[in-house]
Amino acid sequence: MAFHQIARRLAGPERKHRSAVLFFSLLALILLYPVFESGPLRGAFLLFMAIEIPLAAVYSASDSRRHIVIAGVLCLPAQVALIELAAGIGILPGARWTLAITLALYVFTLYVLLRHVLSREKVTAETLYGAAAVYLLFGVTWALAYSLIEQLQPGSFYFDPARNIDGTIQFFDFIYGSFVTLTTLGYGEMTPVSSAARSLAVVQTVGGVLYMAFLVGRLVGMYSQGATDD
C-alpha cells in the first residue's frame, strides 16, 4: 500500500481516541517501570516502550497527512535514541542528534495535541484524553531535555546521594525529577545547577501552571455553555 493511502486512512475522521493510545502508553511507562526496574524482563520492557511510545506519538499527531509525514520522519531516529537509552548504551557523541530529534517529535506532538485540545468546541472523551496526554507528554519531554543537557554538559544536575541509593543516574530519575518540577512539589532529589538546566526548569514550571490555568478555563467555559458531547 502506498504511503499516501496509509496517511489518508490514519488521518480519517473515523480514527478516534488517538490521544488515548499515547496517554495509556506514557502512563504504562510511569507505573510499570518500578515493576520491571530490575529482573530479567527489564530490557524487554524498556525496549518495547522505546519502540511503542514514538509510534503512539505519531498516531496521536495523525490529524492530517502533513502532520503524519512530519511525525513519521521524526519517529525512526527517535526510536533509535530511546533504544540506546533503554539498552544503557547512553547517547554517543556522534548520535546525540537522535536525542534532539526525539525531542523534536515530542514537541511537535505536544503542539498538535495542544492545538486540538484548546480548539475543540465540545468536551468529548478525545478532548479529555488529549488534555491528559499533553500533561504526561509535557513531563516526559522535559525529562528528555534534561537528559540531553546532562549529556552535553555533565554536572548540570545535582542528585542528592542520600536519596539516590544506587549512585547512578537513570533516565527514569529525570522523569521523576521532571514531574516533581512540573507539579512544583520540589522534593529536592534533583537540583538544576547549570544555567541551561535552571532555565529549562523555570520554563517547565511556568508552562505547567499556565497550561492548567488555560485548560481549566477552557473546559469550564465549554461546560458552562452546555457544549458537551457523549
Side-chain angles (χ1 to χ4, degrees), residues 27-222:
L27 191 63
L29 172 65
I30 295 170
L31 294 181
L32 295 181
Y33 179 84
V35 178
F36 296 99
E37 185 176 8
S38 59
L41 297 179
R42 178 180 184 274
F45 170 74
L46 293 178
L47 182 61
F48 176 76
M49 289 288 103
I51 295 174
E52 197 272 338
I53 291 179
L55 291 176
V58 173
Y59 184 65
S60 66
S62 60
D63 60 346
S64 71
R65 279 182 283 177
R66 180 170 63 107
H67 288 163
I68 294 173
V69 171
I70 296 174
V73 169
L74 296 173
C75 181
L76 183 58
Q79 289 175 320
V80 171
L82 293 176
I83 288 173
E84 287 181 346
L85 286 174
I89 299 173
I91 303 301
L92 303 176
R96 284 173 179 161
W97 63 274
T98 58
L99 191 55
I101 291 180
T102 307
L103 269 175
L105 172 63
Y106 288 176
V107 169
F108 175 74
T109 305
L110 278 172
Y111 161 74
V112 174
L113 288 179
L114 189 60
R115 189 182 68 168
H116 173 75
V117 169
L118 297 181
S119 64
R120 297 285 290 183
E121 297 182 356
K122 294 182 179 180
V123 178
T124 64
E126 179 65 11
T127 306
L128 298 178
Y129 277 126
V134 166
Y135 196 75
L136 292 186
L137 187 59
F138 195 10
V140 173
T141 298
W142 248 254
L144 207 57
Y146 292 149
S147 179
L148 179 59
I149 288 180
E150 182 65 23
Q151 289 285 337
L152 296 174
Q153 189 179 357
S156 292
F157 295 90
Y158 171 77
F159 287 84
D160 186 356
R163 303 182 184 184
N164 188 19
I165 301 176
D166 57 5
T168 61
I169 302 175
Q170 304 292 336
F171 180 60
F172 195 78
D173 294 324
F174 287 109
I175 292 181
Y176 173 77
S178 175
F179 279 101
V180 167
T181 302
L182 179 62
T183 56
T184 66
L185 289 175
Y187 287 141
E189 290 92 338
M190 185 183 83
T191 305
V193 176
S194 69
S195 297
R198 289 178 174 178
S199 178
L200 266 183
V202 169
V203 172
Q204 182 180 26
T205 303
V206 173
V209 172
L210 290 179
Y211 172 70
M212 293 304 298
F214 281 122
L215 177 64
V216 171
R218 179 64 176 164
L219 293 179
V220 169
M222 285 189 288

